[in-house]
Amino acid sequence: MLWKALLAALISLLVASATDTYSRDDFPPDFLFGAATSAFQVEGAEDEDGRTPSIFDAFAQTAYGGYGNKSCDQYHKYEEDVSLMAKMGLNAYRFSISWSRLIPNGKGPVNPKGMEYYNNLINELISHDIQPHVTLHHSDLPQALEDEYGGWLSRKVVRDFKTYADVCFREFGDRVKYWTTMNEPNIFVIGGYDDGFLPPQRCSPSPINNCSKGNSSTEPYIAAHNILLSHAAAASLYRKKYQDRQHGIIGINILTFGLLPLTNTTEDVDATERAKDLLMGWILNPIVFGDYPDTMKKNVGSRLPSFTKTESNLVKGSVDFLGINYYYNYYVKNIPQNHQVKGSSTFTDVAVEIVGTMFNATTPGGLLKVVDLLEQSYGNLPLYIHENGQLTPRSSSLDDWARVKYLHGHIKAVLGGLRNGSNVNGYFVWSLLDVYELLGGYEISFGLYYVDLNDQTLRRQPKLSAHWYSNFLHGRTIDPRLIIELKRNASMPSLYNVI
């Protein structure tokens, strides 16, 4: 009878494998696969060669028990990292430029050493046939501008961001064809100006929020408004001055969520729609339709800035593509109007509460639902999944099986979306390396490569997920459930030891 049980198990595995496997060849030839990082989280060298602090530096000095300083030291190890990308099979790398490394005072003279570094990185990528995808702002406004006029709270930042973008387009645009102005402005303003858990850590004083200054009821809306105007100014500049001769595209990025009503009641279903307006429509409605969502205008009232007709026309249609980051699903609960949501003014304003942990209700299908929602609500914009990955505790163990399962399931979901006609053009894993994480420092990990912080050379070691991703990118069809056995038994080392 034992042989029958074994045979049944084998048949079950073969059937599952037949439906659960796919390969790179199932995707369009021009579909991009890459990995992502950001400047402060990966570069290190925070006080070298003319770089000055950003608001991310100030945040990291006190958050999560440590400073980001050396991080992965990509500033000195970029050639090694690009070589790892090439061996893995990436055809794109998403990174950000440190504004305060390129223009140390946020405005004024350009730093030659900063210029040299980004030219070297871009040239190294291109020499390995890896497309550079550049983000201009990833939570790291120069501290000099924060100190001078309050950073994103002042209209002065629009002019300075446009000038910074102009330098980047002029100096790097002959080789960079994919520009993203802002990373996750929707969450940056909630975390930075409402709850205070992100830089620049501003919020109204409360027993929950730990901020020394700020006003949660007004500042998130002001900062978001100035970010949208800055984005639009840079996009307009690019289109008028550079796009025809450089042949690139420009867009913006938001953090997306699978939002599910906690119950099937009308109240929670309606609350979920209001949450979508806040968490995605806050940025996307102005960009697609020229104004904020009606629910926000109604609930926030005069605290929500207004666009002039000229500003509305500038913001509307100001993207060639949309970048989305996706990690988890959340549940949404209705709350009575004016009932305070713990630690949040913006969620209080739209009368919703996000409940459950970030690990709750996470399935690959959530990503596909987000893609469908965006295409139904905001038209057929080309989409790039700029970040997607699995959080784990940082560990020297390289057997990150949970991450393999996560990536396999989510890439499969992207393939399903493409087969159903979605307009997704690329997928980037967050993150290439174990970087300094915004919400956890060095205590958590998303990396395909483990970085040994106790090793003076910051040795990079590929995790199981790096091997799986590399095998996929090299066109091999492998069921992830078999990879651990391949590794443990060394029965098919050619499949495992690609990198």
Side-chain angles (χ1 to χ4, degrees), residues 65 168 279 285 323 482:
C168 294
L279 290 172
N285 274 52
L482 304 178

Side-chain angles (χ1 to χ4, degrees), residues 320-475:
D320 301 318
F321 69 89
L322 175 63
I324 60 174
N325 300 346
Y326 171 87
Y327 294 94
Y328 309 110
N329 293 344
Y330 292 88
Y331 289 114
V332 180
K333 176 184 177 182
N334 177 68
I335 64 167
Q337 194 73 36
N338 299 322
H339 177 80
Q340 179 68 43
V341 178
K342 191 175 179 180
S344 173
S345 289
T346 50
F347 285 95
T348 297
D349 284 337
V350 295
V352 301
E353 186 173 1
I354 304 297
V355 297
T357 68
M358 64 170 51
F359 305 103
N360 223 5
T362 296
T363 63
L367 173 57
L368 190 54
K369 289 179 180 177
V370 166
V371 169
D372 289 342
L373 169 68
L374 293 173
E375 293 183 345
Q376 291 167 15
S377 300
Y378 298 103
N380 203 30
L381 282 171
L383 298 177
Y384 290 86
I385 298 167
H386 275 162
E387 294 181 21
N388 180 236
Q390 173 66 52
L391 181 152
T392 61
R394 192 182 184 109
S395 169
S396 59
S397 172
L398 304 179
D399 287 338
D400 57 342
W401 174 230
R403 184 168 290 111
V404 172
K405 290 193 294 184
Y406 183 99
L407 295 177
H408 177 270
H410 284 77
I411 294 175
K412 181 184 175 186
V414 173
L415 178 59
L418 289 172
R419 287 170 172 168
N420 289 330
S422 77
N423 200 9
V424 178
N425 292 267
Y427 174 93
F428 294 75
V429 174
W430 182 271
S431 54
L432 176 69
L433 309 171
D434 280 346
V435 301
Y436 180 90
E437 285 295 340
L438 188 58
L439 293 178
Y442 296 120
E443 301 301 314
I444 61 175
S445 158
F446 284 89
L448 297 169
Y449 280 82
Y450 170 70
V451 178
D452 187 351
L453 298 175
N454 296 317
D455 183 284
Q456 286 190 344
T457 67
L458 296 173
R459 185 164 61 112
R460 281 85 157 115
Q461 294 175 267
K463 301 178 187 178
L464 189 63
S465 57
H467 290 287
W468 178 85
Y469 196 39
S470 182
N471 275 289
F472 163 70
L473 294 176
H474 283 89

Side-chain angles (χ1 to χ4, degrees), residues 4-301:
K4 290 185 177 180
L6 292 174
L7 180 60
L10 178 59
I11 291 172
S12 176
L13 178 60
L14 291 173
V15 170
S17 297
T19 58
D20 208 34
T21 57
Y22 56 84
S23 75
R24 174 66 179 87
D25 293 337
D26 292 316
F27 289 79
D30 58 350
F31 189 91
L32 300 176
F33 281 101
T37 63
S38 83
F40 180 83
Q41 294 174 270
V42 76
E43 284 180 3
E46 87 287 353
D47 57 0
E48 292 185 39
D49 292 341
R51 181 188 181 276
T52 61
S54 72
I55 59 174
F56 209 152
D57 292 72
F59 169 81
Q61 286 177 352
T62 57
Y64 309 112
Y67 193 28
N69 50 30
K70 198 170 186 180
S71 185
C72 301
D73 199 26
Q74 192 168 89
Y75 185 76
H76 296 107
K77 296 172 73 70
Y78 69 91
E79 290 175 305
E80 176 185 343
D81 288 345
V82 173
S83 178
L84 292 177
M85 297 178 215
K87 290 177 182 177
M88 183 181 286
L90 302 186
N91 50 30
Y93 177 50
R94 180 181 178 236
F95 64 96
S96 71
I97 290 174
S98 167
W99 187 345
S100 61
R101 190 182 297 283
L102 190 64
I103 306 176
N105 292 321
K107 56 185 178 181
V110 173
N111 175 21
K113 286 290 187 179
M115 184 84 69
E116 179 183 15
Y117 169 69
Y118 291 112
N119 271 318
N120 288 343
L121 173 59
I122 291 166
N123 289 340
E124 189 72 13
L125 289 166
I126 290 174
S127 72
H128 288 80
D129 294 320
I130 300 171
Q131 293 181 0
H133 287 238
V134 174
T135 301
L136 296 176
H137 178 263
H138 197 122
S139 304
D140 57 351
L141 180 90
Q143 186 64 41
L145 301 185
E146 183 75 16
D147 294 339
E148 179 184 345
Y149 53 65
W152 295 111
L153 296 175
S154 170
R155 288 290 182 101
K156 294 179 181 178
V157 76
V158 178
R159 172 201 62 209
D160 290 337
F161 182 79
K162 180 180 178 182
T163 301
Y164 158 59
D166 195 13
V167 172
C168 294
F169 300 151
R170 183 182 70 236
E171 300 297 331
F172 312 128
D174 59 324
R175 289 150 292 157
V176 175
K177 307 304 177 186
Y178 298 86
W179 294 100
T180 302
T181 55
M182 309 287 177
N183 182 76
E184 297 183 357
N186 53 332
I187 299 306
F188 174 74
V189 297
I190 291 175
Y193 298 89
D194 181 8
D195 291 346
F197 63 87
L198 296 178
Q201 293 183 286
R202 296 180 65 91
C203 60
S204 297
S206 77
I208 299 171
N209 298 334
N210 183 26
C211 299
S212 59
K213 54 189 173 183
N215 185 332
S216 298
S217 69
T218 59
E219 290 188 356
Y221 304 112
I222 295 169
H225 198 71
N226 289 331
I227 285 173
L228 281 165
L229 294 176
S230 298
H231 153 77
S236 176
L237 170 73
Y238 183 72
R239 287 171 166 177
K240 290 178 180 177
K241 189 175 179 181
Y242 296 101
Q243 195 167 44
D244 283 348
R245 55 190 172 93
Q246 294 183 350
H247 309 294
I249 55 177
I250 191 164
I252 198 168
N253 166 287
I254 65 167
L255 180 60
T256 62
F257 311 89
L259 297 173
L260 308 168
L262 182 63
T263 71
N264 289 327
T265 62
T266 301
E267 289 79 9
D268 284 353
V269 171
D270 290 345
T272 303
E273 294 305 309
R274 296 196 302 274
K276 291 174 184 176
D277 281 345
L278 174 70
L279 290 172
M280 293 181 272
W282 190 356
I283 301 300
L284 296 184
N285 274 52
I287 285 174
V288 175
F289 306 119
D291 203 358
Y292 294 113
D294 289 339
T295 54
M296 291 188 67
K297 291 196 289 184
K298 176 184 175 182
N299 289 25
V300 181

